Every structure is written in C-alpha cells, then in structure tokens.
Amino acid sequence: MAAFIKLYEENPNPKQIAEAVKVLKNGGLIIYPTDTVYGLGCDITSVKALNRIAKIKGIKLEKANWSFICKDLSNLSDYVRQIDSSTFKLLKRCLPGPFTFILPGNNQLPSVFKKKKTVGIRVPDNKICHDLVEALGNPIVSTSIHDEDEILEYTTDPELILEKWGNLVDLVIDGGYGDNIPSSIVDVTDNIPVIVREGKGDTSLI
C-alpha cells in the first residue's frame, strides 16, 4: 500500500516534500494535488516510472500525451523549440494557472519522447506542486486521474484516491479536496492559440 502524507498548500512541510522527492528520484509514482484535479506523476528522467504509468493507463509510452509539470517558465527551452514573443507573453499572462499549453518540442526531449513533435506544458498555481518540482530539479511528467463514476469524472477525495490507487502507486499526497474541473488546453504550436478544451482556465485570457 502506498504511503500517505498530508501537506498544506499554504506552507508545505519541506521534510515531507523531501520524502516525496525521494520517492520520485527512486523511480516511484506519486499522486499529488494541482490547481485543478489530482495528478499521477513521476520523474521525467525515470523510464521505469514512465513505463509504469503507461501500463496503468493501458497505453504505449511513445503514444502518451502527458503534461510536463514545471515550476515556472525558466526551463522552457530545455524541452520546447523557440517560440515567438507573443506566445511567450501569452504563457506569462496565463501561468501559473489552470492551463496546459501544447508547444513544439525540441530535440532535447527525453529519449522516450524523441518522436513526439509537441509537448504539453503546465505550471500549476499550487505551492505543493511548485515545491515538489523545485526540489526535484526537473519536471514531473503527469496525467490526471480519472474516476470511473460517470457523474464525477475526476476523483477529488484524497482518502478515496488512496483506497483506489494505493496498490498502484508509491505515495499519495493529501493536499485537501481536489477540483473536478481539468485544465484548459491551448494549442500554440503554430503561434496562433487554438482552444482544444475549455476547462478551469479562463479562456478569455487567450
């Protein structure tokens, strides 16, 4: 059964953040809060962990469309081709926030993503997320956890998440009740924003 820790978004305990990062660095999977729904994530550099998520989701790793959770935009050039100034201003206007931006990937992507032409970038407005990624030193690859209930698409209760996912992951972080509205997805691969999915992010900002 996965470990279960409680963190408070206003002031996440550094010791517990370090515990979670240790799990990530050891190739573990964590479920953690964001500014939208709870996410299932791993260290972007761990092929073993990425394969575990792919298996859980029932997809081939090379076909996965997962988000890169970043602490800010400072490392964008590590994974994304050069973007124009208007696109960068759009990102600055909307992030941190409940948006996923689809951007053109570059040739420095981790080997398992080399064939992908695009990447989804997220900078959640959530201090637990921010502190996790900052302490890890690189992005977390993340996917939302879905609920099989037709009415509620995303699971929001951390204790129920532990009950359902506890045998599949290594750590569940209780950051309080999550949202059940996902991020808004905006495709800016051609420098012209296209709203792919209306979610929690206010698309009037686009």
Side-chain angles (χ1 to χ4, degrees):
M1 179 61 79
F4 189 66
I5 60 174
K6 173 78 178 174
L7 281 169
Y8 296 92
E9 188 190 343
E10 306 77 31
N11 189 25
N13 184 317
K15 186 177 177 184
Q16 290 177 309
I17 290 287
E19 285 176 31
V21 168
K22 185 177 179 182
V23 171
L24 289 167
K25 286 186 173 177
N26 286 336
L29 306 186
I30 69 169
I31 291 176
Y32 64 100
T34 72
D35 55 354
T36 57
V37 299
Y38 269 79
L40 165 64
C42 71
D43 186 338
I44 195 173
T45 65
S46 175
V47 176
K48 179 182 79 170
L50 289 165
N51 276 304
R52 281 180 65 192
I53 294 182
K55 187 176 180 181
I56 288 171
K57 295 296 247 182
I59 56 175
K60 290 187 176 179
L61 180 55
E62 60 272 17
K63 293 188 176 178
N65 290 314
W66 300 331
S67 300
F68 290 8
I69 306 290
C70 306
K71 70 179 178 70
D72 53 34
L73 296 174
S74 62
N75 299 113
L76 205 59
S77 60
D78 292 346
Y79 309 102
V80 173
R81 286 209 313 269
Q82 190 167 358
I83 55 176
D84 65 17
S85 60
S86 62
T87 300
F88 188 72
K89 284 176 184 174
L90 173 64
L91 299 185
K92 290 281 283 182
R93 186 161 67 244
C94 295
L95 301 174
F99 289 90
T100 301
F101 284 98
I102 300 173
L103 292 156
N106 65 19
N107 57 12
Q108 297 177 66
L109 286 171
S111 57
V112 293
F113 298 118
K114 283 293 185 193
K115 292 181 181 177
K116 294 194 74 62
K117 292 183 170 60
T118 61
V119 293
I121 298 292
R122 280 267 281 132
V123 183
D125 187 12
N126 179 286
K127 194 161 189 318
I128 295 170
C129 257
H130 176 277
D131 289 5
L132 281 171
V133 177
E134 185 170 51
L136 181 62
N138 52 252
I140 293 172
V141 171
S142 187
T143 179
S144 299
I145 60 168
H146 292 260
D147 196 293
E148 289 157 9
D149 188 311
E150 290 179 11
I151 300 167
L152 187 63
E153 190 177 358
Y154 297 96
T155 303
T156 61
D157 183 335
E159 292 192 3
L160 293 179
I161 291 170
L162 177 67
E163 195 176 297
K164 180 176 177 179
W165 293 81
N167 292 322
L168 296 171
V169 303
D170 304 287
L171 173 69
V172 174
I173 296 174
D174 176 358
Y177 272 83
D179 208 331
N180 64 348
I181 303 171
S183 64
S184 295
I185 300 177
V186 184
D187 188 332
V188 284
T189 50
D190 292 323
N191 297 322
I192 300 169
V194 176
I195 297 165
V196 178
R197 177 180 75 191
E198 292 238 16
K200 190 175 178 182
D202 178 4
T203 52
S204 69
L205 292 169
I206 305 303

